[in-house]
Amino acid sequence: MGRISAKLEVAVGILTFLTGLLYLFRVFGPSESEVVTWGILAVLLGGVLILLRTNKYKLTNFIKMIFVFLLVLLQIPAIILWFSFNGNGISDGTPQSNFVAHWIFAFPHMMIVFLGILLIVSLFKRNTALLN
């Protein structure tokens, strides 16, 4: 169970880091500062998750579960917005952008949620196995 958790921690961290870079570098066109701020936060959280795993800091599984849960919650607004704006422009007009949103751009966020939930379950099972 420990190897699965370790691989999931790294996978969630890398995926979150890369997804944050998409927003940080404005891959989806000019966007509001809040979107870039979300990208910075995602890059930092993904980096911290990778760092915690690779440096083998001794954190309890409960703390890791809380951290990953917050990371999963952070993805929910992005998923909702990509589906909500599907087929529409995502700029408020300042600056102008011809970029049209599509629901498929929510896929990395959905993968972070899926892998994050798997990681939480894995950490929970690992934690309860230690108690037996």
Side-chain angles (χ1 to χ4, degrees):
M1 193 70 72
R3 287 185 178 196
I4 294 171
S5 296
K7 289 179 181 179
L8 281 172
E9 282 179 55
V10 172
V12 170
I14 289 171
L15 188 56
T16 303
F17 184 85
L18 293 175
T19 302
L21 286 179
L22 293 174
Y23 293 92
L24 190 61
F25 292 128
R26 301 175 190 254
V27 171
F28 304 115
S31 55
E32 287 73 22
S33 63
E34 295 85 7
V35 175
V36 175
T37 302
W38 185 93
I40 292 169
L41 183 60
V43 166
L44 290 174
L45 290 176
V48 167
L49 192 58
I50 295 167
L51 182 70
L52 290 176
R53 182 66 233 163
T54 56
N55 284 339
K56 305 209 188 278
Y57 288 106
K58 299 295 180 194
L59 287 180
T60 66
N61 287 338
F62 182 72
I63 292 172
K64 286 181 185 178
M65 284 188 285
I66 290 172
F67 186 79
V68 175
F69 179 72
L70 293 173
L71 194 63
V72 166
L73 283 181
L74 185 66
Q75 306 309 308
I76 303 300
I79 293 170
I80 291 170
L81 289 170
W82 280 119
F83 277 94
S84 297
F85 285 97
N86 183 44
N88 298 311
I90 58 172
S91 176
D92 64 356
T94 56
Q96 288 290 344
S97 175
N98 293 328
F99 183 81
V100 176
H102 193 278
W103 65 268
I104 198 70
F105 296 125
F107 187 72
H109 302 286
M110 292 186 293
M111 287 303 300
I112 292 168
V113 169
F114 176 71
L115 293 175
I117 290 171
L118 284 178
L119 177 57
I120 291 169
V121 169
S122 175
L123 289 170
F124 183 76
K125 284 183 178 180
R126 186 173 165 201
N127 204 30
T128 56
L130 294 175
L131 296 176
N132 290 331

